[in-house]
Amino acid sequence: MHDLTGKIALVTGAASGIGRAIATAYANAGARVVVADIAADKAAETADAMGHGAIGMAMDVTDEAQVDEGFARTRRELGPVDILVSNAGVQIIAPIVDFAFADWKRMLAIHMDGAFLTTRAAMRHMIDAGRGGSIILMGSAHSHVASKFKAPYVAAKHGLLGLARVVAKEGATHGIRANVLCPGFVRTPLVEKQIPEQAKELGIGEDAVIRDVMLRDTVDGEFTTLEDIADTALFLAGFGSNALTGQSLLVSHGWHMQ
Ligand code: NAD
């Protein structure tokens, strides 16, 4: 199940954090990997460091033309994509009453438009190639719970559950599965940045943000790790049938139990 030899995987936001860990795990499992990221130089460096024939690709997931061209280029250079991980994401935090409309729209563009555009392109190539595939949308514990100051993030991450369920239904006859991977807090640049931001919003120290906000509802006060998420993404990519589709998998130290 964990052997991806011969598979082509495209991971967005793969020049950093969770995306990079997943792309590396896929490459080590034998897949040819596309490291797609808006940060073009970092994507190229990451792919070079990864080896196994990985290629770096500049892709802004909110740009329809760039996404479609990225999948077409993948097909030309490697072959039709078998695995998509729609992972690119950012975080902007503020109370709703102070949230700028432009920031709301940017968040939905990256998290929702990006998931739609990459999923649509992947499905087109998967259906055309006729060999099925696995689509993994990067959700969050925030696909199931809410936190203050994260209105567009929580709304978008909940929305991905709906998208994955429709993909599961439309993809089934083509052997295309779709699932949402929902991590708890993982110490990536996205999270490191928000620790001081949350401390300021809440008027508490950074240690208190970690202990009393981020990890308060976990079973053991532990961060989720990059390895935890990469292992789960490997399992979801390699699973062999429609038995596991339209689901969300929480990997969060029990922060939320469904
Ligand atoms: P990160 O900041 O380490 O990496 C995000 C990557 O996305 C960066 O390389 C960035 O350049 C890229 N990116 C941003 N905008 C993009 C765009 N428009 N097009 C293409 N690439 C773009 O963050 P991370 O923590 O690894 O987060 C990755 C995903 O995991 C996000 O969807 C995030 O919401 C989700 N997530 C993270 C955590 C966590 O605790 N870190 C928890 C749950 C879910």
Side-chain angles (χ1 to χ4, degrees), residues 100-161:
F101 189 33
D103 287 341
W104 166 271
K105 286 195 277 198
R106 180 164 167 253
M107 287 291 288
L108 292 199
I110 295 171
H111 289 275
M112 289 299 295
D113 298 359
F116 166 70
L117 290 171
T118 53
T119 295
R120 187 182 68 175
M123 286 183 82
R124 286 174 173 168
H125 286 279
M126 287 172 181
I127 290 169
D128 188 51
R131 55 189 208 192
S134 176
I135 294 178
I136 299 164
L137 305 180
M138 191 54 63
S140 164
H142 284 110
S143 299
H144 296 274
V145 300
S147 293
K148 288 178 178 173
F149 315 137
K150 296 186 175 177
Y153 188 82
V154 171
K157 293 298 191 190
H158 275 66
L160 294 178
L161 300 176

Coordinates of all heavy atoms in Angstrom, one line a residue, residues 100-161:
A100 N -10.7 42.5 6.9 CA -10.8 43.2 5.6 C -11.4 42.3 4.6 O -11.0 41.1 4.5 CB -9.4 43.7 5.2
F101 N -12.3 42.8 3.8 CA -13.0 42.0 2.7 C -11.9 41.4 1.8 O -12.0 40.2 1.4 CB -14.0 42.8 2.0 CG -14.9 42.1 1.1 CD1 -15.3 40.7 1.3 CD2 -15.4 42.7 -0.1 CE1 -16.1 40.1 0.4 CE2 -16.2 42.0 -1.0 CZ -16.6 40.7 -0.7
A102 N -10.9 42.2 1.5 CA -9.8 41.7 0.6 C -9.1 40.5 1.1 O -8.8 39.5 0.4 CB -8.8 42.8 0.3
D103 N -8.9 40.5 2.5 CA -8.2 39.3 3.1 C -9.2 38.1 3.1 O -8.7 37.0 2.9 CB -7.8 39.7 4.5 CG -6.6 40.6 4.5 OD1 -5.9 40.7 3.5 OD2 -6.4 41.2 5.6
W104 N -10.4 38.3 3.3 CA -11.4 37.2 3.3 C -11.4 36.6 1.9 O -11.3 35.4 1.7 CB -12.8 37.8 3.6 CG -14.0 36.8 3.2 CD1 -14.6 36.8 2.0 CD2 -14.6 35.8 4.0 NE1 -15.6 35.8 2.0 CE2 -15.6 35.2 3.2 CE3 -14.4 35.4 5.3 CZ2 -16.4 34.2 3.7 CZ3 -15.2 34.4 5.8 CH2 -16.2 33.8 5.0
K105 N -11.4 37.4 0.8 CA -11.4 36.9 -0.6 C -10.1 36.2 -0.9 O -10.1 35.2 -1.6 CB -11.7 38.1 -1.6 CG -13.2 38.5 -1.5 CD -13.6 39.3 -2.7 CE -13.2 40.8 -2.5 NZ -13.9 41.7 -3.4
R106 N -9.0 36.7 -0.4 CA -7.7 36.1 -0.7 C -7.6 34.7 0.0 O -7.2 33.7 -0.6 CB -6.6 37.0 -0.1 CG -5.2 36.4 -0.4 CD -4.1 37.4 -0.2 NE -2.8 36.7 -0.2 CZ -2.1 36.5 0.9 NH1 -2.5 37.0 2.1 NH2 -1.0 35.8 0.9
M107 N -8.1 34.6 1.2 CA -8.1 33.3 1.9 C -9.0 32.3 1.1 O -8.6 31.2 0.9 CB -8.7 33.5 3.3 CG -7.7 34.2 4.3 SD -6.3 33.1 4.6 CE -7.0 31.9 5.7
L108 N -10.2 32.7 0.7 CA -11.1 31.8 0.0 C -10.5 31.4 -1.4 O -10.6 30.3 -1.9 CB -12.5 32.4 -0.2 CG -13.3 32.5 1.1 CD1 -14.8 32.6 0.8 CD2 -13.1 31.3 2.1
A109 N -9.8 32.4 -2.0 CA -9.2 32.1 -3.3 C -8.1 31.0 -3.2 O -8.1 30.1 -3.9 CB -8.6 33.4 -3.9
I110 N -7.3 31.2 -2.2 CA -6.2 30.2 -2.0 C -6.7 28.8 -1.6 O -6.4 27.8 -2.2 CB -5.1 30.7 -1.0 CG1 -4.4 31.9 -1.6 CG2 -4.1 29.6 -0.7 CD1 -3.5 32.7 -0.6
H111 N -7.6 28.8 -0.6 CA -8.0 27.5 0.0 C -9.1 26.9 -0.8 O -9.1 25.7 -1.0 CB -8.5 27.7 1.4 CG -7.3 28.0 2.4 ND1 -6.6 27.0 2.9 CD2 -6.8 29.2 2.8 CE1 -5.6 27.5 3.7 NE2 -5.7 28.9 3.6
M112 N -10.1 27.7 -1.3 CA -11.2 27.0 -2.0 C -11.0 27.0 -3.5 O -11.2 26.0 -4.2 CB -12.5 27.8 -1.7 CG -13.0 27.6 -0.3 SD -13.4 25.9 0.1 CE -14.8 25.5 -0.9
D113 N -10.8 28.2 -4.1 CA -10.5 28.2 -5.6 C -9.4 27.3 -5.9 O -9.4 26.6 -6.9 CB -10.2 29.6 -6.1 CG -11.3 30.6 -5.9 OD1 -12.4 30.3 -5.3 OD2 -11.1 31.8 -6.2
G114 N -8.3 27.3 -5.1 CA -7.1 26.5 -5.3 C -7.5 25.0 -5.3 O -7.1 24.3 -6.2
A115 N -8.3 24.6 -4.3 CA -8.7 23.2 -4.3 C -9.6 22.9 -5.5 O -9.4 21.8 -6.1 CB -9.5 23.0 -3.0
F116 N -10.5 23.7 -5.9 CA -11.4 23.5 -7.0 C -10.5 23.4 -8.3 O -10.7 22.4 -9.1 CB -12.4 24.5 -7.2 CG -13.1 24.5 -8.5 CD1 -14.0 23.5 -8.8 CD2 -12.8 25.5 -9.5 CE1 -14.6 23.4 -10.1 CE2 -13.4 25.4 -10.7 CZ -14.3 24.4 -11.1
L117 N -9.7 24.4 -8.5 CA -9.0 24.4 -9.8 C -8.0 23.2 -10.0 O -7.9 22.6 -11.0 CB -8.2 25.7 -10.0 CG -9.0 27.0 -10.2 CD1 -8.1 28.2 -10.1 CD2 -9.7 26.9 -11.5
T118 N -7.3 22.8 -8.9 CA -6.4 21.7 -9.0 C -7.2 20.4 -9.1 O -6.8 19.5 -9.8 CB -5.4 21.7 -7.8 OG1 -6.1 21.7 -6.6 CG2 -4.4 22.9 -7.9
T119 N -8.3 20.3 -8.4 CA -9.1 19.1 -8.4 C -9.7 18.9 -9.8 O -9.6 17.8 -10.4 CB -10.2 19.1 -7.4 OG1 -9.7 19.2 -6.1 CG2 -11.2 18.0 -7.5
R120 N -10.2 20.0 -10.4 CA -10.8 19.9 -11.7 C -9.7 19.4 -12.7 O -10.0 18.5 -13.6 CB -11.4 21.2 -12.1 CG -12.1 21.2 -13.4 CD -12.7 22.5 -13.8 NE -11.6 23.4 -14.2 CZ -11.8 24.7 -14.7 NH1 -13.1 25.1 -14.8 NH2 -10.8 25.5 -15.0
A121 N -8.6 20.1 -12.7 CA -7.5 19.7 -13.6 C -7.1 18.2 -13.4 O -6.9 17.5 -14.4 CB -6.3 20.6 -13.5
A122 N -6.9 17.8 -12.2 CA -6.5 16.5 -11.9 C -7.5 15.5 -12.4 O -7.2 14.5 -13.0 CB -6.3 16.3 -10.4
M123 N -8.8 15.8 -12.1 CA -9.9 14.8 -12.6 C -9.9 14.7 -14.1 O -10.1 13.6 -14.6 CB -11.2 15.3 -12.1 CG -11.4 15.0 -10.6 SD -13.1 15.5 -10.0 CE -14.0 14.0 -10.5
R124 N -9.7 15.8 -14.8 CA -9.7 15.8 -16.3 C -8.6 14.8 -16.8 O -8.9 14.0 -17.6 CB -9.5 17.2 -16.8 CG -10.8 18.0 -16.7 CD -10.5 19.5 -17.2 NE -11.8 20.3 -17.2 CZ -11.8 21.6 -17.3 NH1 -10.7 22.3 -17.5 NH2 -13.0 22.2 -17.3
H125 N -7.4 15.0 -16.2 CA -6.3 14.1 -16.7 C -6.5 12.7 -16.2 O -6.2 11.7 -17.0 CB -5.0 14.7 -16.2 CG -4.6 15.9 -16.9 ND1 -4.0 15.9 -18.2 CD2 -4.7 17.2 -16.6 CE1 -3.7 17.1 -18.6 NE2 -4.2 17.9 -17.7
M126 N -7.0 12.5 -15.0 CA -7.2 11.1 -14.5 C -8.3 10.4 -15.3 O -8.1 9.2 -15.7 CB -7.7 11.2 -13.0 CG -6.6 11.5 -12.1 SD -7.2 11.8 -10.4 CE -5.7 12.2 -9.5
I127 N -9.4 11.1 -15.7 CA -10.4 10.5 -16.4 C -9.9 10.1 -17.8 O -10.1 9.1 -18.4 CB -11.7 11.4 -16.5 CG1 -12.3 11.4 -15.1 CG2 -12.7 10.9 -17.5 CD1 -13.4 12.5 -14.9
D128 N -9.2 11.1 -18.4 CA -8.7 10.9 -19.8 C -7.7 9.7 -19.8 O -7.7 8.9 -20.7 CB -8.0 12.2 -20.2 CG -7.6 12.1 -21.7 OD1 -8.5 11.8 -22.5 OD2 -6.4 12.4 -22.0
A129 N -6.9 9.6 -18.8 CA -5.8 8.5 -18.8 C -6.5 7.2 -18.4 O -5.9 6.1 -18.7 CB -4.7 8.9 -17.8
G130 N -7.6 7.2 -17.7 CA -8.3 6.0 -17.4 C -7.7 5.1 -16.4 O -7.9 3.9 -16.4
R131 N -6.8 5.6 -15.5 CA -6.2 4.8 -14.5 C -6.5 5.2 -13.1 O -5.8 4.8 -12.2 CB -4.7 4.6 -14.8 CG -3.9 5.9 -14.8 CD -2.5 5.6 -15.3 NE -1.6 6.6 -14.8 CZ -0.3 6.8 -15.3 NH1 0.1 6.0 -16.2 NH2 0.5 7.7 -14.7
G132 N -7.6 5.9 -12.9 CA -8.1 6.3 -11.6 C -7.1 7.3 -10.9 O -6.3 7.9 -11.6
G133 N -7.3 7.4 -9.6 CA -6.4 8.3 -8.9 C -6.9 8.6 -7.5 O -8.0 8.2 -7.1
S134 N -6.0 9.3 -6.8 CA -6.3 9.7 -5.4 C -6.2 11.2 -5.2 O -5.1 11.8 -5.6 CB -5.4 9.0 -4.4 OG -5.6 9.4 -3.1
I135 N -7.2 11.9 -4.8 CA -7.2 13.3 -4.5 C -7.3 13.5 -3.0 O -8.2 13.1 -2.4 CB -8.4 14.0 -5.3 CG1 -8.1 13.9 -6.8 CG2 -8.5 15.5 -4.9 CD1 -9.2 14.5 -7.7
I136 N -6.3 14.3 -2.5 CA -6.2 14.5 -1.1 C -6.3 16.0 -0.9 O -5.5 16.8 -1.4 CB -4.9 14.0 -0.5 CG1 -4.9 12.4 -0.7 CG2 -4.8 14.3 1.0 CD1 -3.5 11.8 -0.5
L137 N -7.3 16.5 -0.2 CA -7.5 17.9 0.1 C -7.0 18.2 1.5 O -7.3 17.4 2.4 CB -8.9 18.3 -0.1 CG -9.6 18.0 -1.4 CD1 -11.1 18.5 -1.4 CD2 -8.9 18.6 -2.6
M138 N -6.1 19.2 1.6 CA -5.6 19.4 3.0 C -6.6 20.3 3.8 O -6.7 21.5 3.6 CB -4.2 20.2 2.9 CG -3.5 20.3 4.2 SD -3.3 18.6 5.0 CE -2.2 17.8 3.8
G139 N -7.3 19.6 4.6 CA -8.2 20.2 5.5 C -7.5 20.6 6.8 O -6.3 21.0 6.7
S140 N -8.1 20.5 7.9 CA -7.6 20.9 9.2 C -8.5 20.4 10.3 O -9.7 20.1 10.0 CB -7.5 22.4 9.2 OG -7.3 22.8 10.6
A141 N -8.1 20.3 11.5 CA -9.1 20.2 12.6 C -10.1 21.2 12.4 O -11.3 21.0 12.8 CB -8.4 20.3 13.9
H142 N -9.8 22.4 11.8 CA -10.7 23.4 11.6 C -11.7 23.1 10.4 O -12.5 24.0 10.1 CB -10.0 24.8 11.3 CG -9.4 25.4 12.6 ND1 -8.1 25.4 12.9 CD2 -10.1 25.9 13.6 CE1 -7.9 26.0 14.1 NE2 -9.1 26.3 14.6
S143 N -11.6 21.9 9.8 CA -12.7 21.4 9.0 C -13.9 21.0 9.8 O -15.0 20.7 9.3 CB -12.2 20.3 8.1 OG -11.2 20.6 7.3
H144 N -13.6 20.8 11.2 CA -14.7 20.3 12.1 C -15.0 21.2 13.3 O -16.0 21.0 13.9 CB -14.2 18.9 12.6 CG -14.1 17.9 11.5 ND1 -15.2 17.1 11.0 CD2 -13.0 17.5 10.7 CE1 -14.8 16.3 10.0 NE2 -13.5 16.6 9.8
V145 N -14.0 22.0 13.7 CA -14.2 22.9 14.8 C -13.9 24.3 14.4 O -13.3 24.5 13.4 CB -13.3 22.5 16.0 CG1 -13.5 21.1 16.5 CG2 -11.8 22.7 15.7
A146 N -14.3 25.2 15.2 CA -14.1 26.6 15.0 C -13.1 27.2 16.0 O -13.1 26.7 17.1 CB -15.4 27.4 15.0
S147 N -12.4 28.2 15.6 CA -11.6 29.0 16.6 C -11.9 30.5 16.3 O -12.1 30.9 15.2 CB -10.1 28.7 16.5 OG -9.8 27.4 16.8
K148 N -11.7 31.3 17.3 CA -11.8 32.7 17.2 C -10.8 33.2 16.1 O -9.7 32.7 16.0 CB -11.5 33.5 18.5 CG -12.6 33.3 19.5 CD -12.2 34.0 20.8 CE -13.2 34.0 21.8 NZ -12.7 34.6 23.1
F149 N -11.1 34.3 15.5 CA -10.2 35.1 14.6 C -9.9 34.4 13.3 O -9.0 34.8 12.5 CB -8.9 35.4 15.3 CG -9.1 35.9 16.7 CD1 -8.2 35.5 17.7 CD2 -10.1 36.8 17.0 CE1 -8.4 36.0 19.0 CE2 -10.2 37.3 18.3 CZ -9.4 36.9 19.3
K150 N -10.5 33.2 13.0 CA -10.1 32.5 11.8 C -11.3 32.2 10.9 O -11.5 31.2 10.3 CB -9.5 31.1 12.2 CG -8.2 31.3 12.9 CD -7.5 29.9 13.2 CE -6.2 30.1 13.9 NZ -5.5 28.9 14.2
A151 N -12.2 33.2 10.7 CA -13.4 33.0 10.0 C -13.2 32.5 8.6 O -13.8 31.4 8.3 CB -14.2 34.3 10.0
P152 N -12.4 33.1 7.7 CA -12.3 32.5 6.4 C -11.6 31.2 6.3 O -12.0 30.3 5.5 CB -11.5 33.6 5.6 CG -10.8 34.3 6.6 CD -11.7 34.3 7.9
Y153 N -10.7 31.0 7.2 CA -9.9 29.7 7.3 C -10.9 28.6 7.7 O -11.0 27.5 7.0 CB -8.8 29.8 8.3 CG -7.8 28.6 8.3 CD1 -6.8 28.5 7.4 CD2 -8.0 27.6 9.3 CE1 -5.9 27.5 7.4 CE2 -7.1 26.6 9.3 CZ -6.0 26.5 8.4 OH -5.2 25.4 8.4
V154 N -11.7 28.8 8.7 CA -12.6 27.8 9.2 C -13.7 27.5 8.1 O -14.0 26.4 7.9 CB -13.2 28.2 10.6 CG1 -14.4 27.3 11.0 CG2 -12.1 28.2 11.6
A155 N -14.2 28.6 7.5 CA -15.2 28.4 6.5 C -14.7 27.6 5.3 O -15.3 26.7 4.8 CB -15.7 29.8 6.0
A156 N -13.5 28.0 4.9 CA -12.9 27.3 3.7 C -12.6 25.8 4.1 O -12.9 24.9 3.3 CB -11.6 28.0 3.3
K157 N -12.0 25.6 5.2 CA -11.7 24.2 5.6 C -12.9 23.3 5.8 O -12.9 22.1 5.4 CB -10.8 24.2 6.8 CG -9.4 24.8 6.7 CD -8.6 24.1 5.6 CE -7.1 24.5 5.7 NZ -6.3 24.0 4.5
H158 N -14.0 23.9 6.3 CA -15.3 23.2 6.3 C -15.7 22.9 4.9 O -16.3 21.8 4.6 CB -16.4 24.0 7.0 CG -16.4 23.8 8.5 ND1 -15.3 24.2 9.3 CD2 -17.3 23.2 9.4 CE1 -15.6 23.9 10.6 NE2 -16.8 23.3 10.6
G159 N -15.6 23.9 4.0 CA -16.0 23.7 2.6 C -15.4 22.6 1.9 O -16.0 22.0 1.0
L160 N -14.1 22.3 2.2 CA -13.4 21.2 1.5 C -14.1 19.9 1.7 O -14.0 19.0 0.9 CB -11.9 21.2 2.0 CG -11.1 22.4 1.7 CD1 -9.7 22.2 2.3 CD2 -11.0 22.6 0.2
L161 N -14.8 19.7 2.9 CA -15.5 18.5 3.1 C -16.5 18.3 2.1 O -16.7 17.2 1.5 CB -16.1 18.5 4.5 CG -15.2 18.6 5.7 CD1 -16.0 18.7 7.0 CD2 -14.2 17.5 5.8

